[in-house]
Amino acid sequence: MKIKFDRHLNINSEKTSSISSLSYNIENALYNGYTNADIKNEFLEIKVNKKFPSNLEFIDVFLDKDNSMSASAFLDKNTGKVIVGFSGTNFGTGTLHGLQDVLADKNIGTNIKSAYHPHNRNMQKFIDGIQKNYQISTFTGHSLG
């Protein structure tokens, strides 16, 4: 399996939109057994083919299966800061995970949750780990993300 890259992406694509557009496909790869190293290698390959912004470097990814959330971190080599992309409700991961996402969306709609809410604890640990080495400039993503 390969990560599906949007055929419209190229070296000049806007960086936050590029990361956001790939968040679902990265999450799908994780649910299909991809490792961080596998994903990093695919980004290196796609950049050689000029199908992804050249200033972005994949640094890490996190999948919280319990809360049906994922995030990918990319270093913007022009700014030295990180952009984190979150996936949203994703039926591409299968019926069970898609249903979990819908329930999470419903919960978000009926409750206000901060980044430090217990539901987000594992994701916040990932963000805190990124912040130990990098400054985060932007968060991007979809619905649940």
Side-chain angles (χ1 to χ4, degrees):
M1 183 193 125
K2 290 276 199 189
I3 294 175
K4 293 179 183 175
F5 284 86
D6 184 326
R7 62 186 174 88
H8 300 293
L9 290 178
N10 60 57
I11 61 172
N12 298 313
S13 296
E14 195 277 324
K15 58 190 177 185
T16 57
S17 298
S18 297
I19 292 168
S20 181
S21 73
L22 290 172
S23 62
Y24 289 111
N25 297 337
I26 293 169
E27 182 177 78
N28 292 347
L30 291 169
Y31 273 107
N32 284 299
Y34 262 52
T35 65
N36 286 20
D38 295 330
I39 293 169
K40 186 172 192 141
N41 287 334
E42 287 223 19
F43 274 98
L44 290 172
E45 180 182 320
I46 203 74
K47 282 174 65 175
V48 167
N49 295 322
K50 300 183 179 183
K51 300 286 186 182
F52 193 70
S54 59
N55 62 308
L56 294 178
E57 178 182 323
F58 172 81
I59 56 171
D60 204 358
V61 66
F62 175 72
L63 174 63
D64 181 354
K65 286 185 179 180
D66 293 337
N67 292 304
S68 198
M69 290 186 72
S70 70
S72 305
F74 292 82
L75 176 65
D76 181 338
K77 294 188 287 185
N78 293 342
T79 66
K81 297 178 182 176
V82 168
I83 301 167
V84 179
F86 296 95
S87 63
T89 304
N90 186 358
F91 287 102
T93 59
T95 305
L96 175 61
H97 298 113
L99 182 58
Q100 284 178 319
D101 285 355
V102 169
L103 293 174
D105 283 344
K106 181 180 180 229
N107 197 21
I108 289 167
T110 58
N111 298 294
I112 297 173
K113 292 183 179 175
S114 75
Y116 295 97
H117 186 278
H119 175 84
N120 298 321
R121 185 176 295 128
N122 293 332
M123 190 59 66
Q124 189 59 49
K125 286 180 185 177
F126 172 73
I127 298 300
D128 291 344
I130 296 292
Q131 288 180 316
K132 286 181 182 178
N133 298 309
Y134 303 97
Q135 183 180 357
I136 296 175
S137 67
T138 309
F139 294 99
T140 186
H142 305 272
S143 61
L144 175 63

